[in-house]
Amino acid sequence: DADVTQTPRNRITKTGKRIMLECSQTKGHDRMYWYRQDPGLGLRLIYYSFDVKDINKGEISDGYSVSRQAQAKFSLSLESAIPNQTALYFCATSDWGPPNSGTSGDEQFFGPGTRLTVL
Amino acid sequence: AQSVTQLDSHVSVSEGTPVLLRCNYSSSYSPSLFWYVQHPNKGLQLLLKYTSAATLVKGINGFEAEFKKSETSFHLTKPSAHMSDAAEYFCVVSDHGGSQGNLIFGKGTKLSVKP
């Protein structure tokens, strides 16, 4: 079974609709992240959460909100979708810790992505 | 602040020839550096990572990268390209500043492999 799952995998919606993308992980990691990928721009960080009570804005948080329902679940919402939010969205996890702490360090583990199209 | 620049947006090689994907970084700290690969319609897979141990890092599928502090570079190489290497590659630096552990992605290099 995949360690980081995202639902749905594909979604087409209309301008103004509310959309929720969900991410679940079985890795037991505290940290979770949401990115969007646009052609030629790489991945850009939307929101990140270091634990259930700690949520932070990333580089491009405008128009998005998140909810960390549990250690294993991190949802991304578009309250009123617009066409320029058409993109590929990735969730990621990590168990970041200082060097020699036995963690994976800065490595992040990515879900398979959700392709969102806003018409 | 950390940043990463991938010097080529698209690289095309023939099967069996060497691959070189170039990456320069900027970091005020001792960085962690990564290369991730994304095959068409797939998620991201870690190829290799540098975390201040050996400067020559070996990854999966025959790829390797060398950390050169004096040149602030972390170029990805492979001696002989295979058709299955066709994908997009991302050079990534870890932000050790205010948001420890956050990753900063380059814009990606698309590798095409011709038969």
Side-chain angles (χ1 to χ4, degrees):
Chain A
D1 287 338
D3 294 323
V4 185
T5 57
Q6 293 183 233
T7 55
R9 293 294 311 279
N10 287 282
R11 182 71 184 269
I12 300 174
T13 190
K14 295 182 179 181
T15 297
K17 294 292 187 181
R18 184 178 188 274
I19 294 296
M20 179 180 285
L21 309 183
E22 298 186 344
C23 176
S24 294
Q25 53 117 345
T26 58
K27 300 185 77 66
H29 291 170
D30 285 330
R31 295 189 173 196
M32 298 187 74
Y33 307 80
W34 275 105
Y35 295 90
R36 66 176 279 175
Q37 182 183 18
D38 298 279
L41 295 180
L43 273 73
R44 293 179 291 165
L45 184 62
I46 306 172
Y47 270 96
Y48 59 102
S49 171
F50 286 173
D51 64 40
V52 175
K53 297 180 181 178
D54 182 3
I55 293 178
N56 305 277
K57 293 182 177 180
E59 178 187 354
I60 52 163
S61 59
D62 287 349
Y64 301 94
S65 62
V66 290
S67 174
R68 185 81 183 266
Q69 301 96 323
Q71 186 205 37
K73 296 185 181 296
F74 192 36
S75 300
L76 176 72
S77 293
L78 288 67
E79 297 300 327
S80 180
I82 56 176
N84 77 0
Q85 291 177 313
T86 293
L88 186 56
Y89 290 84
F90 286 102
C91 174
T93 72
S94 80
D95 66 343
W96 182 88
N100 303 315
S101 64
T103 65
S104 300
D106 302 342
E107 180 181 351
Q108 291 183 15
F109 300 82
F110 287 83
T114 294
R115 188 168 296 280
L116 177 65
T117 303
V118 183
L119 302 176
Chain B
Q2 274 71 12
S3 66
V4 62
T5 302
Q6 292 184 243
L7 299 169
D8 306 291
S9 59
H10 193 190
V11 170
S12 182
V13 301
S14 297
E15 190 174 22
T17 65
V19 176
L20 170 64
L21 305 183
R22 299 181 295 164
C23 173
N24 287 121
Y25 70 91
S26 171
S27 174
S28 302
Y29 303 86
S30 296
S32 293
L33 292 158
F34 307 81
W35 278 97
Y36 280 85
V37 61
Q38 184 182 28
H39 288 93
N41 300 312
K42 300 286 187 182
L44 281 84
Q45 179 183 20
L46 181 70
L47 267 183
L48 50 82
K49 62 180 177 181
Y50 166 79
T51 55
S52 76
T55 56
L56 182 62
V57 183
K58 294 188 183 300
I60 60 172
N61 301 333
F63 284 93
E64 62 182 36
E66 186 171 8
F67 173 72
K68 291 187 176 180
K69 186 175 181 179
S70 60
E71 299 176 10
T72 61
S73 70
F74 191 58
H75 301 333
L76 182 71
T77 60
K78 182 173 181 178
S80 176
H82 192 274
M83 295 297 292
S84 62
D85 294 328
E88 187 159 23
Y89 293 79
F90 294 96
C91 182
V92 183
V93 65
S94 173
D95 177 3
H96 290 294
S99 303
Q100 288 181 321
N102 283 1
L103 301 182
I104 298 165
F105 282 76
K107 295 185 177 182
T109 298
K110 281 192 176 175
L111 175 65
S112 300
V113 182
K114 298 174 289 187

